[in-house]
């Protein structure tokens, strides 16, 4: 009979020592909990230290931070405000969202429901590659290729659609709000497409087949079974994309003409954003200047925080809904 | 090394749901005890309370007493980890560690628990694989991944892994339900052999299997869905299958429900 | 009402609509691929010119905006050091946080709060993480601009990515494996270290590499923390350093063609590094997944 010889490790009696109960488990549990707490502390510290360094600059400001348009924090009498920068940030991001969302939804549908099965995942990877291109490369591409290229289409828009306020204006340039928004759109497209693709793939197969069995065309099936199911997912994906667009820095820093004017003429030589201003203004900033930039960063942090939390909230609600449906 | 288990007034919960209620029984050493009963009657849950695996699931807890000879398994000073070293377990689906070789799988319990010398380990691995009737099939490929074996071999590997830590009791949770008939036969042969050294408890859905391998059989049932499972009766296997005391047992065995 | 027999064709408008949508969907995909092709093509075409030995062996010391030559050696060294340091900070914290969320948190209050803030952290703009390190490390603590300061900023961006990737992989490890280990009398922490983490390792490595690829291309946080230098600085803890993305940015804003050429070659190098990391990461998953099913 194969009866292994008894090792010293296993005595006949159970261990009684209470100290042995969590031998090693305590420290490991402590370390992993600690890591999570460190993460929370970092988030809190980000808010805290931005406030700490922003306050002195805000006190030195001789104008109202939230409404002032100009940005001259390095002057002996510092004057600066977030007005024009916040306007540019929001306008460029919204335009980018407007351009990117329909295309991203199309791309997601293409990969989830139209592309040949064997190619689908490879094509999905191609779209993901768009996200892997570093921001500064889009900036370089934008400023050397897209800016001169956009002059033609922009002039065309101004000539024939100039009656629309967005496309109106006297001077038409390549370094415009529209070009910056276009680059932002390219950069957020893969995020929106990837999340939308996931939700479209999760659409219940049974309902899709039911729609097809009723004689629906592919588009009718998508409209009745896929899009309604995916709508909350697409909305939250778009909001995540919006958050990303608002925080995007280097690419737009190279493209924006860095003016401090509020203008809806997206083809003209106007436009700036909080993030771009930080990148462009940091080099020659004085102490008050740095504080002012940090204050603007704090505003950006808060805006993106709100947008992201809203997006997460929608996703979380959808998860509950999906669980209830399952 | 085989020991007797005594259970008295045991209840087990998942959160607020009571899964089993008021179970008392004695499990004899060096014998095979089979648990049978319809799905959801709590026999697997009960099995998992015997080596404190039940509490691994979040929100799960146990009330009542389980004694291994003279020790209360749920006593305040008892480390659940040492309980599981003393009372081993084999699961429904074979679950060898995918990142480890055949050798490492068998050695896992010892290695993960502390230092053992290589030569000692070699001996234990060989003995355990022989004990699990697997040695002849794998002795030339001990360094190959355990996940590369057939289902039946994997399950015997898991049994070898369980007996390598030298437990006193071996719990088996439907060990053959995922296996083909030939592998099942191999495991059943193995169970008959192992009972000379171990106290064995086996949960099974297969009544022929219970009749073939066990010395004593316990029948569990539940009054209705959502009600806790209870022990209906427990007796010599031959008696349970030929002349049960309870009507419910007879109905179940003769296939009238379940 | 007449009873129709046989298979009737669907109405022309329905068919036209279906075709139109199909065309639009294909068009959308084409629209998405055009910029990718354009960027990659221009980067390769314009970057090839200066893709020479000098570029990879020399810094920009004593080379003005109008001078030809010069290289990105200092920037490449800087990027490698900064990314390595950032990984050394972010990977342990991210890994342990994921272990907490999956193995110890058990859906409690703290774990839900941490999980929520990991999501929030994912959305922190890169420039804000740079500003935070500037405010905290450099302005409040009085440390100097250095590669390490840059690494701190990058690590903040890496952490949530590592947490999410690891968490997802840990959740894929079947519960039976954990139970098999517990049933052998192995304590929970050893089960995690010896059974759960090794099983999830390929997925975790993939996640970490994608996180590295993401931060390797970040410019804004570096701009605010490592400052800028044209010289080689091998010590990431002292004095200004350079980073490859920052190098591309700096050469782009110079008004001369030779500088822009250097920028393109820098961009090509950066894309090659990032794509390589991406490719290796995907290869690990691809190479690992059929083995799992076997």
């Amino acid at each position: 009979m194969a009866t292994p010889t008894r090792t010293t490790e296993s005595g006949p009696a159970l261990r009684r020592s209470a100290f042995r109960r969590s031998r090693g488990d305590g420290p490991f549990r402590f370390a992993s909990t600690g890591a999570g707490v460190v993460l929370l502390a970092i988030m809190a510290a980000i808010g805290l230290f931005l406030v700490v360094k922003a306050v002195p600059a805000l006190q030195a400001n001789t104008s109202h931070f939230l409404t002032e348009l100009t940005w001259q924090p390095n002057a002996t009498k510092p004057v600066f405000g977030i007005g024009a920068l916040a306007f540019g940030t929001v306008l460029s991001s919204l335009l980018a969202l407007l351009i990117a969302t329909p295309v991203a939804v199309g791309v997601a549908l293409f990969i989830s429901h139209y592309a040949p099965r064997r190619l689908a995942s490879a094509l999905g990877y191609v779209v993901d590659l768009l996200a892997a291109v570093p921001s500064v490369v889009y900036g370089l591409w934008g400023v050397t290729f897209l800016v001169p290229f956009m002059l033609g289409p922009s002039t065309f828009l101004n000539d024939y659609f100039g009656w629309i306020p967005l496309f109106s204006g006297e001077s038409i340039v390549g370094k415009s709000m529209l070009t910056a928004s276009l680059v932002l759109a390219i950069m957020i497209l893969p995020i929106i497409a990837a999340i939308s693709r996931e939700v479209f793939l999760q659409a219940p197969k049974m309902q899709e087949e039911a729609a097809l069995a009723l004689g629906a065309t592919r588009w009718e099936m998508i409209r009745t079974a896929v899009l309604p199911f995916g709508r909350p997912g697409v909305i939250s994906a778009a909001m995540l994309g919006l958050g990303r667009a608002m925080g995007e820095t280097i690419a737009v820093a190279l493209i924006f003409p860095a003016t401090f004017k509020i203008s809806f003429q997206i083809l003209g030589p106007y436009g700036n954003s909080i993030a771009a201003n930080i990148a462009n203004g940091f080099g020659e900033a004085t102490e008050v200047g740095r504080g002012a930039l940090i204050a603007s960063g704090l505003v950006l942090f808060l805006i993106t925080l709100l947008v992201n939390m809203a997006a997460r909230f929608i996703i979380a609600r959808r998860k509950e809904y999906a669980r209830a449906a399952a | 090394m085989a020991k007797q288990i005594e259970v008295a007034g045991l209840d087990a919960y998942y959160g607020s749901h009571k899964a089993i209620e008021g179970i008392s029984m004695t499990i004899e050493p060096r014998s095979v005890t089979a648990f049978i009963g319809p799905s959801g009657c709590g026999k697997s849950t009960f099995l998992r309370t015997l080596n404190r695996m039940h509490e691994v699931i979040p929100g799960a807890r146990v009330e009542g007493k389980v004694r291994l000879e003279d020790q209360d398994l749920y006593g305040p000073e008892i480390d659940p980890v040492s309980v599981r070293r003393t009372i081993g377990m084999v699961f429904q689906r074979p679950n060898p560690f995918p990142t480890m070789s055949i050798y490492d799988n068998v050695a896992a319990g010892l290695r993960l628990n502390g230092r053992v010398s290589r030569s000692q380990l070699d001996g234990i691995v060989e003995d355990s694989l022989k004990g699990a009737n697997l040695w002849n099939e794998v002795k030339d490929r001990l360094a190959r991944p355990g996940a590369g074996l057939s289902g039946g071999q994997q399950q015997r590997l898991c049994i070898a892994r369980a007996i390598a830590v030298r437990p006193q009791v071996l719990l088996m949770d439907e060990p053959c339900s995922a296996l083909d008939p030939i592998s099942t036969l191999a495991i059943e042969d193995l169970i008959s052999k192992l009972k000379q050294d171990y106290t064995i408890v086996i949960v099974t859905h297969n009544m022929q299997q219970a009749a073939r391998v066990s010395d004593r059989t316990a029948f569990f049932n539940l009054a209705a869905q959502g009600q806790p499972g209870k022990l209906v009766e427990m007796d010599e296997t031959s008696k349970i299958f030929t002349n049960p005391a309870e009507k419910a047992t007879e109905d179940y065995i003769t296939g009238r429900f379940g | 009402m007449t009873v129709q027999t046989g298979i009737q064709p669907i109405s022309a408008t329905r068919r036209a609509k279906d075709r139109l949508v199909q065309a639009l969907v294909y068009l959308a995909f084409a629209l998405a691929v055009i910029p990718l092709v354009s960027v990659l093509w221009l980067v390769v075409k314009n970057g090839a010119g200066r893709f020479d030995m000098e570029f990879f062996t020399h810094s920009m010391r004593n080379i003005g905006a109008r001078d030809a030559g010069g290289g990105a050696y200092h920037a490449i060294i800087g990027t490698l050091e900064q990314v390595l340091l950032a990984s050394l900070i972010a990977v342990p914290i991210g890994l342990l946080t994921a272990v907490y969320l999956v193995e110890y948190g058990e859906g409690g209050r703290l774990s839900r709060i941490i999980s929520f803030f990991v999501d929030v952290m994912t959305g922190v703009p890169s420039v804000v993480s740079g500003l935070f390190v500037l405010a905290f490390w450099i302005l409040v603590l009085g440390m100097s601009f250095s590669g390490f300061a840059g690494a701190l900023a990058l690590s903040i961006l890496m952490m949530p990515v590592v947490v999410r990737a690891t968490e997802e992989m840990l959740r894929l490890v079947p519960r039976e494996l954990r139970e098999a280990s517990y049933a052998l009398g192995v304590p929970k922490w050893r089960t995690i270290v010896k059974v759960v983490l090794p099983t999830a390792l390929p997925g975790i490595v993939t996640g970490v590499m994608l996180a590295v690829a993401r931060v390797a291309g970040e410019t804004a946080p570096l701009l605010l923390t490592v400052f800028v230098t044209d010289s080689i600085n091998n010590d990431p803890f002292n004095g200004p350093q350079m980073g490859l993305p920052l190098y591309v940015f700096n050469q782009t804003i110079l008004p001369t063609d030779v500088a822009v050429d250097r920028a393109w070659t820098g961009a090509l190098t950066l894309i090659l590094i990032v794509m390589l990391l991406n490719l290796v990461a995907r290869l690990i998953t691809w190479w690992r997944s059929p083995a799992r099913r076997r």
Side-chain angles (χ1 to χ4, degrees):
Chain A
M1 184 66 355
T3 302
T5 46
R6 187 177 289 275
T7 65
T8 50
E9 264 296 301
S10 70
L14 300 179
R15 268 187 221 122
R16 279 181 179 276
S17 164
F19 292 102
R20 292 203 161 177
R21 182 184 206 111
S22 52
R23 189 179 48 158
D25 222 13
F28 192 68
R29 189 195 179 102
F30 180 79
S32 65
T33 314
V37 173
V38 163
L39 217 130
L40 289 185
I42 291 173
M43 283 303 291
I46 292 177
L48 177 71
F49 282 97
L50 292 185
V51 171
V52 163
K53 293 314 288 184
V55 166
L58 290 177
Q59 281 167 344
N61 191 3
T62 54
S63 179
H64 197 288
F65 180 65
L66 291 181
T67 51
E68 176 63 49
L69 299 187
T70 58
W71 190 268
Q72 284 159 349
N74 304 322
T76 40
K77 257 185 77 183
V79 179
F80 60 92
I82 199 84
L85 297 174
F87 170 81
T89 304
V90 172
L91 180 62
S92 62
S93 304
L94 285 178
L95 279 175
L97 199 63
L98 216 61
I99 301 166
T101 307
V103 180
V105 170
V107 168
L109 278 180
F110 176 76
I111 289 164
S112 66
H113 285 87
Y114 281 87
R117 261 293 165 74
R118 249 182 294 164
L119 284 180
S121 69
L123 293 176
Y125 177 58
V126 168
V127 178
D128 288 345
L129 272 185
L130 268 176
V133 175
S135 164
V136 69
V137 178
Y138 279 118
L140 175 62
W141 174 78
V143 80
T144 53
F145 169 75
L146 197 62
V147 163
F149 175 83
M150 282 303 286
L151 203 55
S154 295
T155 313
F156 171 84
L157 281 176
N158 183 251
D159 285 351
Y160 293 92
F161 298 94
W163 45 274
I164 301 174
L166 277 181
F167 300 141
S168 66
E170 297 304 308
S171 72
I172 303 303
V173 296
K175 278 195 164 199
S176 64
M177 182 67 85
L178 179 67
T179 309
S181 304
L182 210 54
V183 171
L184 285 178
I186 294 168
M187 297 179 72
I188 62 174
L189 186 128
I191 306 153
I192 304 177
I195 300 176
S196 304
R197 181 179 72 201
E198 289 307 309
V199 284
F200 290 158
L201 283 172
Q202 282 166 17
K205 281 279 163 304
M206 286 189 334
Q207 288 180 24
E208 292 184 15
E209 285 172 3
L212 289 176
L214 288 174
T217 61
R218 181 149 56 173
W219 161 239
E220 286 162 347
M221 178 271 282
I222 288 171
R223 208 185 51 195
T224 53
V226 179
L227 291 185
F229 176 85
R231 188 174 299 127
V234 173
I235 292 173
S236 59
M239 300 201 57
L240 289 179
L242 182 67
R244 188 63 73 86
M246 287 175 157
E248 186 40 58
T249 309
I250 286 298
V252 288
L254 287 166
I255 294 168
F256 272 133
T259 58
F260 293 91
K261 182 176 176 318
I262 288 182
S263 167
F264 279 101
Q265 296 177 358
I266 60 172
L267 305 177
Y270 317 108
N272 209 340
S273 77
I274 296 174
N277 184 53
I278 293 169
N280 285 329
F282 178 70
E284 57 256 25
T286 60
E287 197 187 334
V288 175
R290 282 178 180 172
L293 292 176
I294 288 171
S296 72
L298 184 63
V299 173
L300 177 65
F301 180 53
L302 294 177
I303 297 177
T304 52
L305 211 64
L306 285 178
V307 170
N308 279 307
M309 275 160 66
R312 298 292 169 190
F313 181 70
I314 296 171
I315 293 181
R317 268 206 5 209
R318 195 189 145 268
K319 266 185 198 150
E320 271 160 31
Y321 166 77
R323 226 175 278 145
Chain B
M1 62 162 105
K3 283 190 176 179
Q4 172 184 301
I5 299 176
E6 256 189 77
V7 184
L10 187 107
D11 304 339
Y13 299 82
Y14 292 101
S16 58
H17 171 68
K18 197 183 218 178
I20 48 175
E21 184 179 64
I23 294 188
S24 302
M25 67 164 63
T26 304
I27 295 167
E28 300 296 343
R30 285 177 217 285
S31 70
V32 179
T33 304
F35 292 174
I36 60 170
S39 300
C41 69
K43 54 195 189 303
S44 287
T45 303
F46 177 58
L47 188 78
R48 290 166 64 94
T49 63
L50 297 182
N51 68 341
R52 298 189 65 169
M53 282 297 286
H54 178 64
E55 65 205 65
V56 166
I57 296 161
R61 64 198 165 82
V62 172
E63 285 169 12
K65 284 235 181 307
V66 181
R67 302 184 74 83
L68 184 70
E69 301 277 295
D70 55 343
Q71 280 188 301
D72 181 4
L73 294 189
Y74 286 90
E77 77 284 12
I78 297 294
D79 181 352
V81 169
S82 78
V83 171
R84 295 176 202 137
R85 292 212 60 192
T86 316
I87 304 177
M89 188 164 202
V90 176
F91 295 81
Q92 191 169 354
R93 288 224 314 250
N95 52 1
F97 298 123
T99 53
M100 298 182 191
S101 67
I102 292 171
Y103 184 98
D104 290 340
N105 259 289
V106 180
L110 294 169
R111 277 220 186 109
L112 294 176
N113 273 302
R115 258 158 266 285
V116 193
S117 76
R118 178 77 197 196
S119 58
Q120 210 178 1
L121 210 52
D122 283 346
I124 294 171
V125 168
E126 183 173 343
D127 286 347
S128 304
L129 283 170
K130 278 180 179 158
N133 288 346
L134 191 60
W135 176 251
N136 288 328
E137 290 158 66
V138 300
K139 63 183 175 203
D140 302 322
R141 44 172 172 160
L142 290 175
R144 301 275 294 279
L149 298 173
S150 76
Q153 289 172 325
Q154 284 188 21
Q155 193 62 299
R156 276 179 282 149
L157 179 63
C158 292
I159 293 174
R161 182 175 68 185
I163 60 180
V165 294
R166 323 270 307 101
Q168 288 151 29
V169 179
L170 208 51
L171 308 177
M172 298 185 168
D173 188 357
E174 300 186 37
C176 303
S177 65
L179 304 180
D180 60 80
I182 292 171
S183 306
T184 301
L185 207 62
I187 302 276
E188 287 180 4
D189 285 348
L190 177 57
I191 292 172
S192 309
K193 178 176 116 181
L194 289 171
K195 80 173 181 186
Q196 301 175 25
D197 296 303
Y198 301 95
T199 305
I200 291 176
V201 185
I202 176 170
V203 167
T204 177
H205 260 296
N206 179 334
M207 255 146 334
Q208 286 79 13
Q209 182 170 64
R212 279 195 300 266
V213 301
S214 73
D215 303 302
R216 290 171 67 78
T217 298
F219 173 63
F220 292 76
N221 202 359
L222 70 174
Q225 275 308 324
Q227 297 283 315
K230 290 180 179 167
L231 175 64
V232 177
E233 67 174 307
M234 180 176 184
D235 214 324
E236 297 294 326
T237 299
S238 54
K239 174 131 190 310
I240 290 279
F241 279 91
T242 53
N243 188 19
E246 299 285 331
K247 176 94 170 43
T249 314
E250 190 180 346
D251 286 350
Y252 181 70
I253 286 165
T254 52
R256 251 168 249 160
F257 81 98
Chain C
M1 195 176 136
T2 53
V3 178
Q4 292 179 328
T5 53
I7 297 171
Q8 299 296 316
I10 61 169
S11 76
T13 40
R14 287 178 62 200
R15 200 169 50 210
K17 245 188 209 165
D18 190 44
R19 288 282 159 79
L20 176 71
V21 173
Q22 178 164 6
L24 285 175
V25 164
Y26 276 75
L27 178 72
F29 184 73
L31 277 178
V33 172
I34 288 171
L36 180 69
V37 171
S38 167
V39 168
L40 291 181
W41 165 243
L42 286 176
V43 165
V44 170
K45 193 183 82 163
N46 297 330
R50 280 299 325 277
F51 206 74
D52 51 32
M53 273 314 281
E54 187 182 1
F55 189 82
F56 294 100
T57 52
H58 286 70
S59 71
M60 289 298 291
R61 200 187 179 94
N62 296 327
I63 292 175
R66 281 180 188 73
D67 303 335
Y73 176 77
H74 60 309
I76 295 171
I77 289 292
T79 282
L80 293 180
E81 286 180 354
Q82 288 147 21
V83 168
L84 185 73
L85 283 172
S87 307
L88 287 179
I89 301 166
V91 171
I93 295 179
L95 208 71
L96 283 169
T97 302
V99 165
Y100 170 75
L101 289 177
V102 178
E103 307 287 340
Y104 289 111
E106 284 164 6
R109 200 183 160 83
L110 182 65
S111 85
R112 269 178 295 149
I113 293 174
I114 291 176
S115 185
F116 176 77
F117 276 99
V118 169
D119 278 340
V120 172
M121 208 173 182
T122 314
V124 169
S126 64
V127 68
V128 169
S129 83
L131 279 177
F132 162 63
V133 173
L134 173 73
F136 166 66
W137 184 252
I138 294 168
L139 297 182
V140 170
L141 294 185
M143 302 294 178
S144 71
F145 291 98
S146 68
F148 182 68
L152 284 178
L154 295 182
S155 74
I156 292 172
L157 300 174
M158 268 185 87
M159 270 176 220
V161 187
V162 175
V163 174
R164 279 289 170 253
T166 310
E167 195 188 343
E168 199 180 314
M169 289 304 136
L170 292 181
R171 290 198 195 280
L172 284 181
V173 175
R175 210 186 64 203
E176 292 105 65
L177 281 187
R178 294 182 176 89
E179 294 197 338
S181 179
Y182 295 151
L184 291 173
V186 179
K188 187 166 186 171
W189 75 278
R190 290 205 77 127
T191 301
I192 295 167
V193 173
K194 297 282 186 174
V195 175
V196 178
L197 285 176
T199 308
L201 193 64
I204 295 174
V205 172
T206 301
V208 168
M209 299 203 58
L210 289 177
V212 167
R214 186 194 155 188
V215 300
E218 283 292 351
T219 317
L222 297 186
L223 187 65
L224 305 174
T225 51
V226 311
F227 224 63
V228 164
T229 176
D230 286 338
S231 312
I232 297 167
N233 176 6
N234 284 328
D235 182 358
F237 295 96
N238 280 307
Q241 233 187 3
M242 201 57 178
L244 195 52
L246 201 50
Y247 176 87
V248 176
F249 178 66
N250 256 31
Q251 297 295 322
T252 305
I253 51 178
L254 294 177
T256 62
D257 284 346
V258 281
V260 173
D261 284 345
R262 283 192 287 265
W264 281 113
T265 306
L268 177 58
T269 315
L270 191 58
I271 281 196
L272 284 177
I273 293 174
V274 171
M275 295 286 167
L276 194 73
L277 284 167
N278 264 290
L279 198 69
V280 173
R282 311 257 166 190
L283 276 179
I284 291 171
T285 359
W286 172 81
W287 169 65
R288 185 65 203 192
S289 60
R292 276 248 177 92
R293 262 175 249 133
R294 221 193 306 132

